[in-house]
Amino acid sequence: MSGNELREAYLQFFSEKKGHLRLPSFSLIPQDDPTLLLIGAGMAPLKPFFTGKMKPPRTRVTTSQRCVRTGDIENVGRTARHQTFFEMLGNFSFGDYFKGEAIPWAWEFLTEVIELPKDKLWVTVYPDDTEAIEIWKSQPGFPQDHIVKMEDNFWEIGPGPCGPDSEIYIDLGEERGCGSPTCAVGCDCDRYLEIWNLVFTQYDRQEDGSYKNLAHKNIDTGCGLERLASVVQNKKTNFETDLLYPIIEYAAKVAGVEYGKDDKTDISLKVIADHARSMAVMIMDGILPSNEGRGYVLRRILRRAIRHGRMLGIKGKFLEGAVDAVVEIYRDASDFGELIAKHDYIKKVISIEEDRFAATLNQGMELLDAEIKSLKADGKDELPGEVGFRLYDTFGFPWELTEEILHENGLDLDKEGFDKAMDEQRERARSARAENQRVAVPDLSGIDVSKLKVDPEAKEAKVVAIWKDGKLANEITDGEEAGIILDKTPFYAEGGGQVGDEGLLLGEFGRIKATNAKKLPDGTVYHVSYVEEGQLKVGETVKIEVDQEKKLASARNHTATHLLQAALKKVVGDQVNQAGSSVTPDRLRFDFTNFEPVTAQQLADVEALVNKVILKGQDVEISHMSLDEAKKAGAMALFSEKYGDVVRVVRVPGFSMELCAGSHVKNVGQIGMFKIIGETGIASGVRRIEAITGKAALDYANEKLATLQKAAALLKANEDDVPAAVEKLQAEGKEMAGKLAEVAAMQEKADAQQLIAGVKDIKGVSVITGKANVENMDSLRDVADLTLDKLGSGVVVLGCANDGKVNLVVKASKDAVKRGIHAGKIIKEAAAVVGGGGGGRPDMAQAGGKKAEALPQAFEKAAAVIEAQLG
């Protein structure tokens, strides 16, 4: 079976035969979980359902979850199984079935569906889990002596849900083993491969370390797709399976090497194959290279792949071709449709990043190589942290890459020094994490969310729950911030890039400001609130006042965002796709894919087209239909949105149609006016447009008009005549500058004439020293040229002083140079007198200084040097 067939077989087995809801893979970007940077396990996106905080869509779920882990990235390519990207097949039960079903189903799938030999399968169990042991022994054809009791077969992370687990291994044969007579399940060699883990969550660990039985027991399983593929396809490592090997073949061809001939070469080929999959899927899920967070993980993976390409001798760009190989692997796979759709976009992002790193890679490697040689020569074993930071800051080397290269040379990085240099950035990251943690949601399992409603007409509601600092509370008082859930709410909850509504909750004894409304994964709306005065208790009834002015302003900007996207596609091209958005009452921000700036003319055309649609005054049509119907009708999906079976379609007839749950105006004419106020690049291949509508656009136009009127008054012209008046002013300025230049030239000639009058004779050579009335070095050189021209033969030493700074120039005629004069040496000693330095050729030299009061002594020094040079 191919890897894609294996995935499909697993998902069909649990969905069609065992009644599980088949969910698509969740994005690698965690939703509403500030504790995770990236999804790294199949159960991670389902955590709220396991903890009981939220109700699952069904009590039985199966997924093939894409995951990224980089904790042991240095082992990628060096072992048979380590990868940064992998797929975790899983079947989950939320208080439904337990061991009696999970174990037989795993055995059935492995032995009957993919037909693994029963005598090669082994299992490990927790010693006290007699229930699991008996269930395993009762499976048809199970080898009774293939059960191994292990103390560490117990899954727990501090207080909370936990329980024993059972791992399934396959014996790959003695030839894969270490040769030790004690080699058995649990050995570190490659003979016994773990392919499935079943976690039986049946206890609730208390703070005192005791265990209580859970009322609702759960099943959490994980089966690595790549590992299973290596077994089914009889490959020694995951990298030889059809889920990775085509990328290795591509990289080997580009590098002109052969896989399997050299261990060092093989490691680099495996790293490229693994990292190519990771970067392609990360970008597919909306992650872009950056120096922070997920973007940093992506940049690190990408740049590590580039370096391994260089180690293979690949000089040029090669990762775009690797992406092509990745896309071909998943062309017929479920959950990877976006990879195909975003194929060109992913390649472009990677190409730009590859260009950026290639520009500095050689320089950075030269610096690091030189530092390594120096450290070894001095007998040192640690690279200073500030050098590591310079490689990161100037040359784009992730510190992990620097550390890896150092380790290859038997050296270490002074990580403490590096961290010190990074303190400012780390402090920002810590602050951001603290802010995310502050809004952590408490256990809301006691709330019947089915009774909560969103009602746009609601004027009163009952307080169902309050929490502060992540803990449920019965009341809040003056000055406290909290999350509040009402039994019904008219507030629009933040989503699709649009901020939530603001407003007031007025209780009998309190006035509460709701600064935002947000939505939990199960759809529950909560209000981010602040008690302006008084108090509020759970069970109270509050009057609700939504800020209608801000609500309408947000609606204007949201509808305008739809019009903007449609207009961009018509004017700039179909390659434009949304990459993010922000809709607030004040303005809209629209991020989109495009690999070059939008021209001024294109922006003007887009703005004109949007305003043309607004002026038509069409009603905005909102309807609900199946997702398939919406796609067939041509509705566009917005970035990062998740859609159910029934979707909400927002349509401006003849112009725009998108899937969207946001708030919108009833008629496009309510937008009033649309004005683009900025267009910039924000990342590789991503542009950003900022725009305003309604009153904000009108205020903007009035401000610009006021500025024009002020300019007209200053120019003493009509508003329509301002451009002509400015052109006239510019012409007059140019004419004035010319006259000033003429005056300056006349002044320079006068200075030269005056200086001639002070000529001295030193050993038969005419010498002029003196101060010129000029302001800069350029003018000083001009006066020196004029003076030497009038003198004909000799040496000219001139200086000027302005704002405490001194300039010096020495000019010498050809015959004076033949006599032994050297302008560069003269000025070197003269400049020292004024606290400066300089130099130059025998016939011309210049210098600067800072002691204006010492100019007379500098001229005396110059004369003395001239006399000495003439012998």
Side-chain angles (χ1 to χ4, degrees):
M1 299 174 81
S2 70
N4 290 332
E5 289 170 340
L6 193 54
R7 181 195 305 106
E8 192 61 28
Y10 181 96
L11 294 172
Q12 284 188 7
F13 175 78
F14 281 100
S15 62
E16 295 177 9
K17 291 187 177 181
K18 307 303 177 185
H20 289 60
L21 173 63
R22 175 174 173 171
L23 291 178
S25 173
F26 292 82
S27 168
L28 285 171
I29 302 174
Q31 298 296 311
D32 300 301
D33 191 342
T35 65
L36 294 178
L37 194 64
L38 290 160
I39 294 298
M43 63 78 65
L46 306 171
K47 203 189 302 183
F49 307 136
F50 278 109
T51 60
K53 285 186 178 181
M54 290 167 205
K55 185 178 179 181
R58 197 181 294 176
T59 55
R60 298 181 180 188
V61 166
T62 184
T63 63
S64 177
Q65 177 61 44
R66 42 187 185 267
C67 305
V68 167
R69 294 181 192 171
T70 57
D72 49 5
I73 193 172
E74 66 279 355
N75 287 326
V76 173
R78 300 179 187 278
T79 70
R81 314 292 169 204
H82 276 99
Q83 297 154 218
T84 56
F85 170 78
F86 59 94
E87 286 184 77
M88 186 63 74
L89 303 170
N91 57 285
F92 309 96
S93 167
F94 309 111
D96 189 329
Y97 61 84
F98 202 48
K99 298 175 191 177
E101 293 81 15
I103 291 173
W105 292 344
W107 183 254
E108 181 183 349
F109 179 78
L110 291 174
T111 61
E112 296 183 23
V113 177
I114 61 174
E115 300 179 346
L116 296 186
K118 296 176 181 179
D119 62 332
K120 295 294 184 183
L121 294 175
W122 289 72
V123 297
T124 61
V125 295
Y126 187 61
D128 295 341
D129 193 359
T130 55
E131 181 184 7
I133 293 172
E134 291 307 313
I135 295 172
W136 274 119
K137 286 183 175 180
S138 68
Q139 298 313 302
F142 182 82
Q144 299 296 298
D145 59 346
H146 280 203
I147 296 178
V148 180
K149 298 178 181 178
M150 288 189 174
E151 288 289 342
D152 59 358
N153 273 61
F154 197 93
W155 184 91
E156 65 179 342
I157 305 177
C162 58
D165 63 72
S166 181
E167 297 165 335
I168 306 173
Y169 289 78
I170 185 165
D171 181 359
L172 298 175
E174 289 185 28
E175 66 276 10
R176 301 274 191 97
C178 56
S180 169
T182 59
C183 182
V185 171
C187 183
D188 288 336
C189 71
D190 288 336
R191 176 173 177 177
Y192 295 95
L193 176 66
E194 180 195 341
I195 54 175
W196 200 315
N197 187 21
L198 300 98
V199 180
F200 311 124
T201 311
Q202 63 189 86
Y203 302 117
D204 185 6
R205 180 180 170 180
Q206 306 300 297
E207 293 287 348
D208 62 5
S210 63
Y211 296 90
K212 289 186 177 180
N213 287 319
L214 280 173
H216 301 290
K217 299 174 182 180
N218 302 319
I219 289 291
D220 163 23
T221 73
C223 175
L225 175 62
E226 289 81 3
R227 287 190 176 202
L228 204 57
S230 72
V231 174
V232 172
Q233 296 172 16
N234 194 27
K235 304 296 183 182
K236 288 186 177 181
T237 76
N238 295 2
F239 294 93
E240 277 94 51
T241 69
D242 65 337
L243 293 170
L244 278 157
Y245 195 64
I247 316 169
I248 289 178
E249 288 182 308
Y250 162 78
K253 183 178 180 181
V254 174
V257 298
E258 189 175 345
Y259 180 74
K261 297 294 184 182
D262 177 80
D263 287 345
K264 192 173 180 181
T265 296
D266 286 355
I267 288 172
S268 291
L269 289 170
K270 291 174 183 177
V271 168
I272 291 169
D274 168 80
H275 289 10
R277 289 203 314 170
S278 293
M279 66 182 79
V281 177
M282 289 175 80
I283 296 169
M284 177 191 84
D285 274 349
I287 301 168
L288 291 170
S290 72
N291 283 333
E292 292 182 357
R294 301 175 191 98
Y296 179 74
V297 175
L298 171 58
R299 175 164 282 167
R300 177 187 173 198
I301 286 171
L302 202 153
R303 293 188 168 183
R304 196 169 183 268
I306 295 171
R307 177 178 169 262
H308 276 276
R310 296 292 184 274
M311 290 168 68
L312 289 173
I314 303 174
K315 301 297 183 186
K317 292 164 63 175
F318 68 96
L319 289 179
E320 287 184 78
V323 173
D324 290 336
V326 174
V327 169
E328 284 307 311
I329 289 170
Y330 294 101
R331 187 166 292 283
D332 300 319
S334 59
D335 287 357
F336 285 90
E338 274 191 285
L339 188 68
I340 315 303
K342 293 182 177 179
H343 184 177
D344 291 338
Y345 169 67
I346 294 167
K347 287 172 65 174
K348 190 66 176 181
V349 172
I350 287 174
S351 175
I352 292 171
E353 184 70 11
E354 200 169 4
D355 283 337
R356 286 179 175 173
F357 191 43
T360 57
L361 178 62
N362 292 336
Q363 292 173 279
M365 285 304 302
E366 286 175 10
L367 170 65
L368 186 52
D369 287 343
E371 291 288 343
I372 289 171
K373 288 177 184 177
S374 176
L375 289 171
K376 289 182 175 179
D378 295 340
K380 297 178 180 178
D381 60 4
E382 187 175 73
L383 182 75
E386 59 268 25
V387 178
F389 180 73
R390 184 182 168 201
L391 283 163
Y392 166 82
D393 196 43
T394 306
F395 301 104
F397 278 43
W399 71 263
E400 297 92 342
L401 176 58
T402 300
E403 187 175 59
E404 184 177 335
I405 296 169
L406 289 171
H407 286 172
E408 289 171 1
N409 287 273
L411 303 171
D412 290 314
L413 171 67
D414 169 21
K415 187 61 169 56
E416 187 175 336
F418 181 92
D419 288 344
K420 188 176 179 182
M422 287 278 285
D423 269 349
E424 188 175 333
Q425 284 125 303
R426 290 187 178 279
E427 187 57 43
R428 284 200 303 270
R430 276 195 295 272
S431 297
R433 283 197 295 274
E435 180 64 21
N436 281 339
Q437 291 284 8
R438 189 176 65 80
V439 297
V441 179
D443 185 350
L444 301 175
S445 57
I447 297 174
D448 185 354
V449 296
S450 66
K451 293 182 179 179
L452 305 180
K453 296 178 181 178
V454 174
D455 179 2
E457 304 302 321
K459 302 297 181 186
E460 286 188 349
K462 186 178 179 181
V463 178
V464 174
I466 298 174
W467 68 86
K468 52 186 177 181
D469 300 323
K471 294 181 180 179
L472 288 170
N474 287 323
E475 65 175 344
I476 46 173
T477 58
D478 270 355
E480 290 187 318
E481 293 184 15
I484 298 174
I485 292 178
L486 305 174
D487 65 345
K488 54 181 174 291
T489 179
F491 283 71
Y492 168 78
E494 183 178 287
Q498 182 178 336
V499 297
D501 285 341
E502 298 180 35
L504 293 173
L505 307 179
L506 304 172
E508 186 178 0
F509 303 106
R511 176 186 173 93
I512 294 85
K513 172 71 174 175
T515 58
N516 198 1
K518 295 190 175 186
K519 189 181 292 184
L520 298 175
D522 64 358
T524 302
V525 175
Y526 69 96
H527 308 78
V528 179
S529 305
Y530 172 81
V531 184
E532 291 186 335
E533 59 184 33
Q535 64 180 26
L536 182 71
K537 294 184 178 181
V538 173
E540 266 191 68
T541 296
V542 293
K543 292 182 179 179
I544 303 170
E545 294 181 3
V546 176
D547 189 326
Q548 293 297 337
E549 187 173 333
K550 287 187 175 179
K551 186 181 183 78
L552 180 56
S554 290
R556 287 191 187 102
N557 286 333
H558 204 151
T559 306
T561 303
H562 286 212
L563 300 182
L564 172 60
Q565 178 167 212
L568 280 168
K569 282 185 171 290
K570 294 178 190 300
V571 174
V572 180
D574 283 333
Q575 76 277 8
V576 168
N577 284 302
Q578 184 174 341
S581 70
S582 173
V583 175
T584 71
D586 302 320
R587 64 176 58 199
L588 67 92
R589 190 190 74 212
F590 185 74
D591 300 340
F592 58 98
T593 56
N594 203 53
F595 295 102
E596 57 188 10
V598 181
T599 67
Q601 185 58 55
Q602 286 175 324
L603 286 174
D605 291 345
V606 166
E607 184 176 288
L609 183 53
V610 172
N611 280 308
K612 183 179 179 181
V613 175
I614 291 170
L615 289 172
K616 286 183 177 179
Q618 292 175 287
D619 285 342
V620 177
E621 297 177 356
I622 295 178
S623 58
H624 294 80
M625 61 184 73
S626 73
L627 182 58
D628 287 340
E629 285 177 320
K631 287 180 177 179
K632 287 176 183 176
M636 283 191 293
L638 287 181
F639 177 78
S640 77
E641 283 287 310
K642 299 298 178 186
Y643 302 105
D645 293 333
V646 177
V647 294
R648 183 172 181 258
V649 179
V650 178
R651 182 170 174 261
V652 178
F655 194 75
S656 167
M657 181 163 59
E658 297 186 16
L659 309 185
C660 181
S663 61
H664 291 273
V665 294
K666 293 180 179 179
N667 183 291
V668 290
Q670 289 179 280
I671 298 172
M673 176 179 172
F674 173 82
K675 182 65 186 172
I676 293 174
I677 57 174
E679 192 273 348
T680 55
I682 59 166
S684 303
V686 180
R687 309 296 301 178
R688 170 173 292 170
I689 283 179
E690 292 188 80
I692 49 180
T693 65
K695 186 176 182 299
L698 185 61
D699 290 345
Y700 179 86
N702 285 334
E703 286 170 11
K704 295 299 180 186
L705 180 58
T707 301
L708 177 62
Q709 289 170 338
K710 186 176 180 180
L714 291 170
L715 292 166
K716 296 180 180 178
N718 293 323
E719 291 161 19
D720 292 341
D721 296 333
V722 166
V726 171
E727 288 176 0
K728 181 181 178 184
L729 202 60
Q730 287 176 326
E732 290 173 352
K734 187 176 181 181
E735 183 181 357
M736 184 62 72
K739 289 180 179 178
L740 288 172
E742 290 176 11
V743 171
M746 291 171 65
Q747 180 65 48
E748 289 171 1
K749 289 177 181 178
D751 283 349
Q753 193 64 43
Q754 187 177 356
L755 289 164
I756 287 289
V759 65
K760 300 175 184 177
D761 183 283
I762 298 178
K763 293 185 178 182
V765 173
S766 297
V767 178
I768 292 175
T769 62
K771 186 176 179 181
N773 297 311
V774 294
E775 296 181 350
N776 54 54
M777 180 63 82
D778 289 342
S779 297
L780 187 64
R781 284 197 301 266
D782 290 342
V783 174
D785 288 339
L786 280 170
T787 305
L788 188 58
D789 284 345
K790 289 181 178 293
L791 188 63
S793 172
V795 182
V796 175
V797 181
L798 300 183
C800 69
N802 286 290
D803 298 326
K805 294 181 180 179
V806 179
N807 288 317
L808 288 171
V809 168
V810 177
K811 297 276 292 188
S813 62
K814 290 182 180 180
D815 56 335
V817 173
K818 289 179 180 178
R819 284 283 308 274
I821 293 297
H822 194 295
K825 294 178 180 178
I826 296 169
I827 208 159
K828 183 177 181 181
E829 297 200 39
V833 177
V834 292
R841 305 186 306 271
D843 63 332
M844 190 272 175
Q846 64 185 46
K850 52 190 176 183
K851 297 179 181 177
E853 70 278 4
L855 259 178
Q857 291 81 8
F859 294 143
E860 290 174 6
K861 184 67 175 178
V865 175
I866 290 170
E867 186 171 0
Q869 287 182 349
L870 293 172

